[in-house]
Amino acid sequence: MKRNKRVIVITGGIGTGKSTAVGIIKSLGFKVVDSDKIVHEGYAVNSPLYGQVTEMFGKQILNEDCTINRQRLGQIVFNDTEKLHALNEIVHNYVHNEINKAINENNEEVIFLDIPLILENIKQNKHYALKFDEIWLVYVRPEIQIERLRQRAIQENKNPDDVLNIIKKQIPIDEKVSMVNEVIDNEGTIENLRIKIEALLKMKGIGW
């Protein structure tokens, strides 16, 4: 990585509007490396991650077309802490290697990393040699986060309780505030969010 290259992680709990913030950052012309996209592409047939996962769990996780059945894989590791840990180790190592590769191959002075669970991983001491300069958290109060998720679940014809259970698996949003460098309040409109992101970029001396 170039010494003058600045790497900033964008994170946030489910329902905080992190994806909207990332969209704004992209619209300003910045490079954003998406960890979820890396995982999705990594599960494609014949990718290195695909090979490691299928070697560990066997053909029982494959569909007829040899693609990985994510739901079946999830059922296998759901109640088996050891297997879940093994899967997470494989996926985290793969993702962080791909992120580092993307950083090294990009010539931009500022690169953003979209990593939803970066704080959960840090708390478990899972750094995997991933180097970054700052973490920015997209934040809303817990009651707003819950209400947004409830409304989203209703709109998508999902059980609100199932969606809300996801929050329990993440570090509470208020606890995350003390773990990051910057907090971006997202309780207003999308335009308010854009204004706050632009102001933060200017404060950091990052032009676009």
Side-chain angles (χ1 to χ4, degrees):
M1 187 192 305
K2 288 183 180 179
R3 286 188 177 180
N4 62 344
K5 193 174 289 186
R6 201 163 172 181
V7 180
I8 300 170
V9 178
I10 298 291
T11 194
I14 183 172
T16 60
K18 176 191 62 64
S19 296
T20 303
V22 167
I24 291 171
I25 289 168
K26 285 181 178 178
S27 74
L28 295 173
F30 293 101
K31 168 72 175 178
V32 179
V33 181
D34 185 338
S35 63
D36 282 347
K37 184 179 179 183
I38 289 173
V39 175
H40 179 75
E41 293 176 348
Y43 276 108
V45 177
N46 295 327
S47 81
L49 179 59
Y50 174 93
Q52 292 178 58
V53 173
T54 52
E55 182 179 351
M56 173 168 288
F57 293 96
K59 294 183 178 179
Q60 62 177 327
I61 65 168
L62 298 181
N63 296 310
E64 290 184 4
D65 61 358
C66 289
T67 56
I68 291 177
N69 187 313
R70 300 281 291 273
Q71 185 175 0
R72 198 174 302 157
L73 176 60
Q75 290 171 345
I76 291 172
V77 302
F78 185 75
N79 291 314
D80 192 320
T81 304
E82 191 173 319
K83 287 182 179 178
L84 177 60
H85 177 74
L87 176 63
N88 284 338
E89 287 288 310
I90 291 173
V91 173
H92 288 149
N93 271 315
Y94 174 80
V95 170
H96 289 176
N97 285 339
E98 290 298 305
I99 288 175
N100 281 326
K101 188 188 302 181
I103 292 171
N104 290 328
E105 292 176 353
N106 196 280
N107 293 320
E108 301 290 335
E109 291 184 3
V110 180
I111 296 176
F112 288 87
L113 310 180
D114 179 354
I115 310 180
L117 299 178
I118 184 71
L119 298 175
E120 282 78 2
N121 290 339
I122 287 174
K123 196 169 185 179
Q124 297 171 45
N125 296 316
K126 293 181 178 178
H127 294 275
Y128 301 111
L130 182 63
K131 305 298 182 184
F132 52 84
D133 298 295
E134 295 186 28
I135 301 178
W136 294 3
L137 173 72
V138 181
Y139 173 87
V140 296
R141 283 170 291 165
E143 57 267 32
I144 293 178
Q145 181 185 20
I146 290 170
E147 183 56 28
R148 285 182 180 178
L149 286 175
R150 194 186 307 278
Q151 292 300 324
R152 183 195 299 178
I154 292 171
Q155 290 172 4
E156 296 176 355
N157 294 318
K158 295 178 180 178
N159 185 336
D161 291 335
D162 290 341
V163 177
L164 293 174
N165 280 335
I166 298 174
I167 296 180
K168 298 176 183 178
K169 298 178 182 179
Q170 299 183 354
I171 297 173
I173 191 69
D174 283 338
E175 185 179 331
K176 288 185 175 184
V177 170
S178 63
M179 300 172 68
V180 301
N181 302 96
E182 300 293 343
V183 176
I184 304 170
D185 185 288
N186 186 28
E187 295 186 357
T189 65
I190 293 176
E191 185 55 33
N192 290 149
L193 179 60
R194 174 181 289 274
I195 291 170
K196 288 175 182 176
I197 289 173
E198 290 181 353
L200 180 55
L201 290 167
K202 288 178 181 177
M203 186 187 79
K204 295 287 182 178
I206 302 173
W208 63 91

